[in-house]
């Protein structure tokens, strides 16, 4: 199937990119453009060539479907295609609308002239995949945009409107929305031919910047401070330096060498894995993409506390009316006031206008009666995490919700199948586990019950996109994917304290490794009483699983974390800074003596290995059980919901980077030293090691 269309309009050949949805530059598209240029070049009646995409996209860059495949590099590759366009003896005009990113933008730099809609989105986003532009963007960009503008475009990777380049020679003509883009391009092409305008080849332009050495050193220092562990931003500076100091062809060679070198780095692999994982997460193997969805025009939320309010804000932000229920007027008023205050804080920071604030608050209605949910399309409960409370709520919803309404639970651990059976419509029940603060955190764990209808799943995944969440599907089990894994992470951290580490050392080691927050600071933030309640349930339901009991002792003293001013750390009023508490260390010493444990020195590397490998082992069990559809779903949950470092790509990819064989050997050593059966490598890990395969 062709990815381009060729037609003749008078003396102009029109080559239309036709590889929806965003005209990814596939092998077929590249071949089609080359064939079109060759056909136009050989036809004496053709005087100019127009290259155009769709209204939605000129081109979004490389074709994701070909990532890593031989087709991605097959000739004509993108640099070859750009060279063919640039060396054409007949003028080539790019007509740009919609997205024009990465290789798509580089493609336009090979053309002699460019027309654009002012709102077309221009970007060189390769840095977000751990790369630099690899088809001449680092060499042509500085030549036509100016050094500073081009470097900003590369290092930030964010799209900017084409109108931003009015002061550069990039865009020859802007085309208003009411004017047909192709008609404008054809008229422009006729003028170029009639006026015999010289062909502007960007590679022949000179990149210049007064005192460029000082500027580049300044840029390098600034970028080094924000790039963190990612090498690509600084490599952009190296490439731009080449544009200023080397002939074009040498600069292109350096760009290619830098690109290939970055492609092999673990940081690049992690970013590309995350990019692919986010797109894969929305796909369910047994739910076709064209599954009809239910209309979600109004939402009900039960609970006006921190979670209920945060959930409500997601829908208000998306322009969806919300009715929020509480049992007492005082609690309802408090919840409504908190939402307003959150919006007012955003307004003070310049992130929200008064008009938007009024609009969003106008979509919010408070109620004390379930009857006000009778017309809601989606109802989400955010009540206390106790099965009896959930039962009462869902039985009530079953009575009043209209047929076809989706009933969702925000439970973080409870059995969604059991909750569904509290109703006469289990097919309409689903888990929607938001992460706190719900209006900020990107992750939404969508829990699929045994009887959840396929159209309910398709609808919820669509809704997640509308409210700008990264949705990942989980099967039903205790804690689902994220919390089931984090429980063992915390359990292992507790044993490290028994053996000789301090809370501050464990947190410091993991945070230095890249975690946003160590397990003990995280416990203090969430509330240690939440973990305590789960452990008390475990002692009854799963007595074979061993826990360090020191955390229980702190909870017995009311040390629940930030909300009580004391937890694993001390907190001063109005300040969330964790201050190590000598009293906790004293109690730890006494606790170890009671257990007859002689403390030992524990290295930071052992702390990281034991905590992170605990995630990996439980993740492998989850994958094997089919609770997660793919290893990358697990990584997506940890990258977006649990502060796992992006440059490591998630626990499952990290295990592959270390080598599953090495991970399994470490687990076996932990099993031998601790006697904890948890450390026996999951059967899936053992199987993949035997087969020489990875998890991702």
């Amino acid at each position: 199937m062709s990815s381009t269309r060729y037609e003749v309009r008078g003396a102009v050949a029109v080559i239309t990119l036709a590889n929806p949805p965003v005209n990814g530059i596939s092998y077929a598209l590249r071949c089609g453009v080359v064939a079109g240029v060759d056909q136009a070049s050989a036809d004496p009646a053709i005087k100019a060539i127009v290259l155009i995409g769709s209204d939605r996209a000129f081109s979004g860059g490389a074709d994701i479907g070909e990532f890593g495949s031989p087709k991605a590099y097959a000739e004509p590759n993108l640099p070859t295609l750009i060279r063919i366009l640039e060396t054409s003896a007949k003028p080539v005009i790019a007509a740009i609308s919609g997205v024009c990113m990465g290789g798509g933008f580089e493609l336009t730099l090979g053309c002699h002239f460019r027309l654009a809609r002012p709102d077309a989105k221009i970007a060189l986003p390769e840095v977000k995949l751990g790369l630099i532009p690899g088809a001449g963007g680092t060499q042509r960009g500085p030549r036509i945009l100016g050094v500073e503008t081009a470097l900003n475009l590369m290092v930030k990777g964010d799209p900017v409107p084409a109108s931003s380049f009015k002061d550069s020679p990039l865009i020859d003509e802007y085309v208003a929305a009411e004017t047909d883009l192709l008609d404008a391009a054809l008229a422009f092409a006729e003028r170029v031919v009639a006026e015999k305008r010289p062909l502007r080849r960007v590679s022949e332009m000179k990149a210049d910047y007064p005192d460029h050495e000082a500027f580049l050193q300044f840029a390098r220092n600034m970028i080094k401070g924000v790039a963190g562990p990612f090498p690509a931003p600084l490599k952009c500076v190296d490439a731009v330096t080449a544009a200023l100091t080397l002939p074009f062809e040498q600069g292109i060679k350096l760009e290619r060498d830098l690109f290939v070198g970055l492609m092999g780095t673990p940081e690049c692999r992690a970013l590309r894995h995350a990019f692919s994982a986010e797109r894969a997460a929305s796909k369910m193997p047994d739910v076709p993409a064209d599954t009809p969805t239910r209309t979600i025009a109004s939402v009900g939320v039960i609970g006006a506390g921190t979670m209920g309010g945060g959930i409500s804000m997601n829908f208000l932000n998306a322009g969806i009316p919300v009715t929020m229920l509480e049992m007492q007027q005082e609690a309802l008023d408090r919840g409504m006031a908190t939402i307003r205050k959150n919006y007012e804080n955003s307004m003070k920071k310049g992130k929200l206008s008064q008009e938007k604030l009024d609009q969003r608050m106008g979509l919010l209605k408070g109620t004390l009666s379930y009857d006000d949910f009778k017309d809601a399309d989606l109802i989400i409960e955010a009540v206390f995490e106790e099965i009896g409370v959930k039962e009462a709520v869902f039985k009530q919803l079953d009575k009043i919700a209209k047929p076809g309404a989706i009933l969702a639970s925000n439970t973080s651990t409870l059995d969604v199948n059991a909750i569904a059976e509290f109703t006469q419509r289990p097919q309409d029940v689903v888990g929607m586990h938001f992460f706190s603060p719900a209006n900020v955190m990107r992750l939404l764990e969508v829990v699929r019950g045994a009887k959840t209808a396929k159209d309910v799943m398709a609808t919820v995944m669509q809704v997640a996109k509308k409210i700008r969440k990264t949705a990942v599907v989980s099967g039903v089990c205790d804690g689902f994917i994220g919390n089931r894994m984090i429980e063992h992470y915390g359990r292992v951290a507790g044993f490290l304290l028994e053996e000789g580490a301090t809370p501050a050392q464990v947190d410091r080691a993991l945070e230095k490794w890249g975690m946003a927050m160590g397990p003990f600071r995280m416990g203090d933030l969430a509330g240690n009483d939440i973990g305590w309640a789960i452990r008390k349930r475990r002692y009854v339901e799963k007595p074979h699983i061993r826990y360090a009991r020191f955390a229980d002792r702190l909870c017995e003293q009311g040390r629940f974390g930030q909300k009580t001013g004391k937890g694993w750390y001390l907190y001063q009023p109005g300040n969330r800074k964790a201050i190590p508490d000598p009293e906790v260390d004293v109690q730890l010493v006494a606790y170890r003596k009671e257990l007859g444990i002689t403390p030992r020195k524990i290295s930071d590397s052992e702390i990281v290995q034991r905590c992170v490998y605990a995630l990996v082992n439980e993740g492998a069990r989850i994958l094997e059980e089919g609770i997660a559809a793919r290893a990358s779903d697990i990584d997506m949950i940890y990258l977006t919901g649990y502060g796992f470092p992006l440059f490591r790509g998630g626990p499952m990819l990290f295990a592959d980077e270390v080598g599953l064989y090495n991970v399994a050997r470490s687990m076996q050593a932990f099993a031998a030293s601790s006697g904890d059966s948890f450390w026996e490598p999951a059967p899936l890990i053992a199987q993949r090691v035997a087969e020489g395969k990875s998890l991702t």
Side-chain angles (χ1 to χ4, degrees), residues 296-301 315 320-324 373 376-380:
I296 305 297
S298 62
V299 173
V301 175
F315 292 96
I320 299 172
V322 175
T323 300
M324 191 166 66
F373 287 154
D377 300 306
L378 167 66
I379 305 171
I380 306 169

Side-chain angles (χ1 to χ4, degrees), residues 55 125 232 401 448 457 466 498 568-569 587 617-618:
D55 287 341
R448 185 178 187 176
M457 292 302 297
K466 190 163 187 178
E498 283 190 349
W568 295 100
Y569 298 90
Q587 289 189 40
N617 211 22
E618 195 62 18

Side-chain angles (χ1 to χ4, degrees), residues 52-75:
I52 191 168
S54 66
D55 287 341
R56 179 181 176 184
F58 176 80
S59 172
D63 191 313
I64 298 167
E66 292 184 359
F67 266 22
S69 75
K71 279 188 174 181
Y73 309 103
E75 291 284 8

Side-chain angles (χ1 to χ4, degrees), residues 385 411-414 433 435 443 445 447 474-492 522 534 537-538 542 544-545 547 611 613-628 634 637-638 642 651-652 678 682-684:
E385 189 76 343
T411 180
S412 57
T413 55
L414 299 177
H433 177 208
F435 286 69
L443 178 61
E445 215 173 14
V447 186
S474 171
V476 176
C477 67
D478 199 335
F480 316 129
I481 296 171
N483 283 344
R484 175 171 157 180
M485 288 168 64
I486 207 74
E487 186 176 343
H488 289 283
Y489 173 82
R491 197 170 68 86
V492 165
M522 186 167 65
I534 292 170
R537 191 153 54 88
R538 293 285 183 270
K542 298 182 180 179
H544 60 285
I545 299 179
Y547 291 83
C611 290
Y613 289 0
L615 294 176
V616 172
N617 211 22
E618 195 62 18
R621 292 188 177 106
I622 284 169
L623 192 58
E624 188 174 33
E625 293 168 22
I627 299 299
I634 295 171
I637 280 176
Y638 268 79
Y642 290 86
M652 310 309 269
F678 167 79
L684 181 64

Side-chain angles (χ1 to χ4, degrees), residues 299-501:
V299 173
V301 175
I302 304 170
T306 302
M307 185 57 78
I311 291 170
S312 297
M313 287 178 70
N314 288 302
F315 292 96
L316 299 173
N317 296 348
I320 299 172
V322 175
T323 300
M324 191 166 66
L325 171 77
E326 259 296 350
M327 295 297 100
Q328 303 294 330
Q329 187 67 48
E330 184 184 357
L332 180 62
D333 291 344
R334 189 165 54 246
M336 301 279 279
T338 299
I339 291 175
R340 178 175 286 280
K341 186 179 178 184
N342 287 340
Y343 282 140
E344 286 172 347
N345 288 339
S346 294
M347 198 171 76
K348 285 174 188 171
K349 294 173 186 172
K351 295 178 180 178
L352 197 70
S353 66
Q354 180 70 54
E355 183 185 4
K356 285 281 187 188
L357 185 153
D358 294 340
Q359 185 184 70
R360 292 176 187 181
M361 290 304 298
L363 293 170
L364 179 63
K365 174 188 171 185
T367 184
L368 301 176
S369 171
Y370 275 93
D371 290 339
D372 285 328
F373 287 154
K374 65 180 185 300
D375 295 322
D377 300 306
L378 167 66
I379 305 171
I380 306 169
E381 65 78 12
V383 300
F384 188 67
E385 189 76 343
E386 200 277 315
I387 196 69
V389 178
K390 307 286 189 189
E391 179 177 5
V393 166
F394 275 84
K395 283 184 173 176
Q396 187 68 24
L397 289 179
D398 199 29
K399 289 176 186 174
I400 58 94
K402 69 182 182 182
I406 296 173
L407 310 181
S409 174
N410 180 54
T411 180
S412 57
T413 55
L414 299 177
D415 187 341
V416 170
N417 289 331
I419 291 171
E421 292 304 326
F422 296 142
T423 75
Q424 300 299 308
R425 46 174 116 181
Q427 74 280 1
D428 295 335
V429 177
V430 67
M432 290 180 72
H433 177 208
F434 289 82
F435 286 69
S436 188
N439 54 308
V440 175
M441 296 294 284
R442 280 176 55 205
L443 178 61
L444 175 64
E445 215 173 14
V446 178
V447 186
R448 185 178 187 176
K451 295 180 181 176
T452 306
K454 290 182 180 181
D455 68 331
V456 167
M457 292 302 297
T459 302
V460 170
M461 298 302 276
Q462 186 184 74
V463 165
K465 198 173 286 186
K466 190 163 187 178
I467 62 172
R468 299 187 174 183
K469 296 295 181 193
T470 299
V472 183
V473 177
S474 171
V476 176
C477 67
D478 199 335
F480 316 129
I481 296 171
N483 283 344
R484 175 171 157 180
M485 288 168 64
I486 207 74
E487 186 176 343
H488 289 283
Y489 173 82
R491 197 170 68 86
V492 165
F495 293 138
L496 287 164
L497 299 188
E498 283 190 349
E499 294 169 36

